[in-house]
């Protein structure tokens, strides 16, 4: 009885959210649940506990940001003071000035971020942490979803301080030429006075590798912009893999040894006096001044005995000796780089065996489905894999979300591909013959005639958490339905092991034919829960933003979906209010995969307070 009541509530919600914006609603048209005083008190206690946990996890996120920022500031300031006031760099600082301090301080920040930027790209490690009991808290695991943001933050920091580093070294190259020292020839980077600074940039190892690193970094940054990634993903992919070249150049760059420090501070203190090669130590300043400055002092100036009472001068015991700094960059990046290389090697070994393609299905609106099997392959709903087909491209590969995961009863898994771009077009031409009919081809016995296909993964994504909420709201835009397809398939197989007890599924498409990608799955899932007397377990709403050809989906086969199909866009604010009203005091996981406009709206509404004590936690996956 309760299940049927929940279903009626959701059907009323669907009707309300499909009304035009100008349609007035009477308070009696809204629905909700009435809680007893005891239940309400328990929910209030649970809410306060969850709020404390939310504050804790938000504090942890802010703490991580604060620690990262503090490390950058501390390294910059400490290194700046070392090269500005350190006695071992006294003569070098006299020659180069402020450029020395800025170049070395920015280099310290670059060392830190060049090491940290690799960690978010260790996808296998992140997937392990997300799926293991090492991180038991759901809210703590949500910090892993910030890995891409942290990677971008480190990349932007590298760009900014690379600009500072380059500008400072341009000044240093000029100062090496202008301030050529005849006394400390070993300290000079220039070979003779007034040498052209451009020769230092293009004839020395640090200079030449630095120029090459700037070019590589410029290509990587410009190709990482949103416009390039959306219009031509191939350019982004190829240029981003130049980071291997960048790190190799970085290894060579720090091994040049142009900047040197003094090693014999005990026998040659900075600023000491060399008495014509005669070695004296602790000479009294009065005797020294009396011997070397016999002329009378001007009126008003103190005499030597008054000025130098109980003071000594530092006398040089030997000439200064200089030595190149040990390349600390190796210490910074060796650990993360070895970890990343080990992970890439593991992924290479894991993915060296091709999959067996079971079938390839052509869907409407230029979508292709591939079903395959691979020995010992395991994945969780919401994860994604990387496809690599050498016949299409020897180096290029692309990530695709799993729409079907292997289970205990079946080993088949699959992906849906939207045909956009050169790679997917060539891949489609290799697998599908020219045809406009919806047909299943490539039977198992013929799969050997087709090009080999390799997969890497699976890798984690925020959508894995959708089954760990008691209530989840999943919003898809177009082909963004793919991560939710694997979740729906999992619920179809067995829903009892999971915490999820109610799923709101919203799918917005422009083309009516797009709903046919998973129409059969939605109908089967709907019928399953109706037969189990749980009609409100999965609540489905389909929204069509364009009305052309709406009659094509009408039919007996999809009768269950026809009653849940609405014209126009969802009224998001009303939708959130009604979900909050139906789930008082609970935490609702909000998952979005679609256009940025929908994502921003959902994010804003999730952060909005409501009067029902319901909290919305926002998760998303972006196309780019």
């Amino acid at each position: 009885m309760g299940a049927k009541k929940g279903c009626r509530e959701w059907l009323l919600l669907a009707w309300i959210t499909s009304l035009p914006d100008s349609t007035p609603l009477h308070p009696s048209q809204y629905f909700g649940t009435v809680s007893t005083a005891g239940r309400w008190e328990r929910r209030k206690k649970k809410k306060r506990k969850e709020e404390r946990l939310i504050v804790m996890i938000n504090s942890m996120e802010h703490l991580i940001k604060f620690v990262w920022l503090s490390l950058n500031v501390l390294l910059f300031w400490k290194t700046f003071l070392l090269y500005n006031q350190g006695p071992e760099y006294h003569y070098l600082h006299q020659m180069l000035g402020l450029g020395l301090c800025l170049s070395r301080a920015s280099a310290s920040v670059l060392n830190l971020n060049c090491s940290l930027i690799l960690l978010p790209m260790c996808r296998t490690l992140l997937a392990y942490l997300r799926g293991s009991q090492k991180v038991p808290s759901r809210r703590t695991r949500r910090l892993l979803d910030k890995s891409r943001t942290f990677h971008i933050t480190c990349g932007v920091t590298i760009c900014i301080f690379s600009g500072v580093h380059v500008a400072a070294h341009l000044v240093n190259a000029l100062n090496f030429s202008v301030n050529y020292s005849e006394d400390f020839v070993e300290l000079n980077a220039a070979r003779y006075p007034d040498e052209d600074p451009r020769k230092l940039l293009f004839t020395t190892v640090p200079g030449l590798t630095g120029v090459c690193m700037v070019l590589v970094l410029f290509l990587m940054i410009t190709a990482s912009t949103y416009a390039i990634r959306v219009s031509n993903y191939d350019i982004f992919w190829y240029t981003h893999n130049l980071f291997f070249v960048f790190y190799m150049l970085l290894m060579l760059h720090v091994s040049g040894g142009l900047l040197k420090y003094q090693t014999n501070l005990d026998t040659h203190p900075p600023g000491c006096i060399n008495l014509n090669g005669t070695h004296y130590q602790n000479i009294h300043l009065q005797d020294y001044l009396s011997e070397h400055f016999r002329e009378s002092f001007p009126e008003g100036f103190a005499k030597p005995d008054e000025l130098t009472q109980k003071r000594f001068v530092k006398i040089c015991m030997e000439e200064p000796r200089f030595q190149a700094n040990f390349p600390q960059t190796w210490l910074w990046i060796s650990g993360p780089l070895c970890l990343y290389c080990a992970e890439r090697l593991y992924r290479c070994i894991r993915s060296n065996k091709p999959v067996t393609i079971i079938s390839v299905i052509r869907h409407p609106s230029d979508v292709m489905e591939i079903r395959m099997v691979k020995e010992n392959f395991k994945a969780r709903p919401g994860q994604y894999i990387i496809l690599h087909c050498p016949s299409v491209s020897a180096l290029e590969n692309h990530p695709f979300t799993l729409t079907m995961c292997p289970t205990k009863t079946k080993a088949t898994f699959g992906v849906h591909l939207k045909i956009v771009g050169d790679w997917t077009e060539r891949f489609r031409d290799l697998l599908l013959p020219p045809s406009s009919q919806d047909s299943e081809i490539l039977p198992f016995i013929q799969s050997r005639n087709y090009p080999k296909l390799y997969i890497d993964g699976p890798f984690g994504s925020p959508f894995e958490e959708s089954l760990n909420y008691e209530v989840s709201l999943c919003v898809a835009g177009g082909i963004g339905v793919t991560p939710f397809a694997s979740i729906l398939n999992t619920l179809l197989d067995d829903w009892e092991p999971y915490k999820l007890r109610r799923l709101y599924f919203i799918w917005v498409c422009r083309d009516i034919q797009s709903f046919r990608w998973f129409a059969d799955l939605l109908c089967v899932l709907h019928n399953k829960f109706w037969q189990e007397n749980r009609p409100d377990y999965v609540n489905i709403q389909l929204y069509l933003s364009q009305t052309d050809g709406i009659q094509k989906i009408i039919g007996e086969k999809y009768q269950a979906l026809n009653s849940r199909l609405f014209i126009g866009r969802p009224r998001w604010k009303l939708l959130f209010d009604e979900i909050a009203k139906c789930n008082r005091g609970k935490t609702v996981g909000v998952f979005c995969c679609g256009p940025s406009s929908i994502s921003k709206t959902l994010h804003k509404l999730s952060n909005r307070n409501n009067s029902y004590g319901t909290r919305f936690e926002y998760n998303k996956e972006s196309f780019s």
Side-chain angles (χ1 to χ4, degrees), residues 525-573:
L525 191 65
H526 171 268
N527 295 332
K528 168 187 171 65
F529 286 109
W530 268 86
Q531 292 174 3
E532 296 180 2
N533 196 27
R534 289 183 173 271
D536 59 340
Y537 189 96
V538 177
N539 301 295
I540 302 171
Q541 283 194 46
L542 308 178
Y543 287 88
L544 182 65
S545 58
Q546 296 181 359
T547 59
D548 296 339
I550 186 172
Q551 298 297 327
K552 293 183 180 180
I553 199 173
I554 303 298
E556 191 66 29
K557 183 178 181 181
Y558 303 119
Q559 191 63 37
L561 299 182
N562 291 334
S563 60
R564 288 162 174 78
L565 178 63
F566 306 97
I567 306 302
R569 300 181 182 277
R571 300 175 64 185
W572 297 115
K573 185 177 182 300

Side-chain angles (χ1 to χ4, degrees), residues 94-159:
Q94 282 187 335
M95 181 183 295
L96 301 181
L98 185 63
L100 171 67
C101 305
L102 289 177
S103 63
R104 301 316 303 158
S106 58
S108 297
V109 177
L110 290 173
N111 287 337
L112 173 64
N113 288 274
C114 284
S115 61
L116 294 178
I117 198 172
L118 292 173
L119 298 180
M121 295 297 100
C122 296
R123 299 176 178 176
T124 303
L125 177 61
L126 294 180
Y128 169 75
L129 292 177
R130 184 190 297 274
S132 67
Q133 299 300 320
K134 303 296 182 182
V135 187
S137 173
R138 182 184 67 219
R139 294 179 177 85
T140 306
R141 291 195 298 269
R142 290 185 66 201
L143 291 176
L144 299 177
D145 301 337
K146 305 292 184 180
S147 59
R148 180 174 175 269
T149 303
F150 184 69
H151 176 79
I152 295 174
T153 303
C154 291
V156 173
T157 305
I158 289 174
C159 292

Side-chain angles (χ1 to χ4, degrees), residues 116-285:
L116 294 178
I117 198 172
L118 292 173
L119 298 180
M121 295 297 100
C122 296
R123 299 176 178 176
T124 303
L125 177 61
L126 294 180
Y128 169 75
L129 292 177
R130 184 190 297 274
S132 67
Q133 299 300 320
K134 303 296 182 182
V135 187
S137 173
R138 182 184 67 219
R139 294 179 177 85
T140 306
R141 291 195 298 269
R142 290 185 66 201
L143 291 176
L144 299 177
D145 301 337
K146 305 292 184 180
S147 59
R148 180 174 175 269
T149 303
F150 184 69
H151 176 79
I152 295 174
T153 303
C154 291
V156 173
T157 305
I158 289 174
C159 292
I160 295 174
F161 283 92
S162 292
V164 176
H165 188 74
V166 170
H169 270 315
L170 290 177
V171 176
N172 290 340
L174 180 62
N175 287 332
F176 268 128
S177 176
V178 175
N179 300 328
Y180 184 87
S181 176
E182 299 287 353
D183 297 328
F184 311 117
V185 179
E186 188 180 359
L187 200 61
N188 294 309
R191 287 165 291 189
Y192 51 85
D194 297 324
E195 182 181 9
D196 189 350
R198 289 173 294 185
K199 290 185 178 180
L200 296 177
L201 296 178
F202 296 101
T203 60
T204 61
V205 172
L208 188 59
T209 55
V211 172
C212 294
M213 288 169 64
V214 170
L215 294 177
V216 171
L217 188 61
F218 176 78
L219 292 175
M220 293 175 64
I221 293 300
T222 53
S224 299
T225 58
Y226 179 80
I228 297 296
R229 285 185 286 123
V230 172
S231 60
N232 197 323
Y233 185 85
D234 297 351
I235 296 178
F236 163 74
W237 193 89
Y238 282 114
T239 54
H240 227 60
N241 278 277
L242 290 175
F243 80 93
F244 277 115
V245 178
F246 180 85
Y247 276 94
M248 294 302 104
L249 291 173
L250 182 59
M251 294 288 193
L252 295 175
H253 179 72
V254 299
S255 62
L258 285 184
L259 303 180
K260 301 176 182 179
Y261 69 98
Q262 185 182 341
T263 59
N264 57 338
L265 294 176
D266 294 337
T267 57
H268 187 104
C272 64
I273 299 174
N274 190 344
L275 300 177
N276 298 324
T278 305
H279 294 177
Y280 298 95
Q281 195 168 15
N282 293 335
I283 302 297
H284 198 274
L285 182 57

Side-chain angles (χ1 to χ4, degrees), residues 12 15-16 24-32 578 581:
L12 179 58
W15 171 73
I16 292 173
L25 292 175
H26 191 271
S28 62
Q29 292 176 285
Y30 292 91
F31 57 87
E578 294 303 327
K581 194 173 183 180

Side-chain angles (χ1 to χ4, degrees), residues 297-318:
F297 277 63
E299 184 178 357
F301 282 84
K303 295 182 178 181
D305 55 345
E306 300 174 356
L307 181 68
T308 62
Q309 199 75 10
K310 298 181 181 180
R311 296 186 183 180
F312 293 87
V313 295
K314 298 178 181 179
I315 304 302
C316 305
M317 300 294 293
E318 61 180 357

Side-chain angles (χ1 to χ4, degrees), residues 358-423:
I358 299 298
S359 62
V360 178
I361 305 173
R362 187 195 305 272
H363 289 288
S365 303
D366 289 329
V367 170
M368 178 176 63
E369 178 184 0
I370 304 176
R371 296 181 181 178
M372 51 200 134
V373 294
K374 183 179 180 181
E375 186 179 0
N376 297 326
F377 179 80
K378 297 179 181 179
R380 297 187 297 271
Q383 292 187 321
Y384 68 95
I385 60 175
I386 296 177
L387 295 184
H388 174 57
C389 183
S391 300
V392 178
S393 175
L395 298 176
E396 189 176 351
N397 50 57
H398 290 274
F400 294 96
T401 306
L402 288 168
T403 54
M404 180 186 299
C405 294
T407 62
K408 296 180 180 179
T409 57
K410 65 178 186 302
T412 305
F413 61 96
V415 294
H416 282 63
L417 290 75
K418 180 74 172 177
I419 310 301
V420 286
D422 297 338
W423 191 91

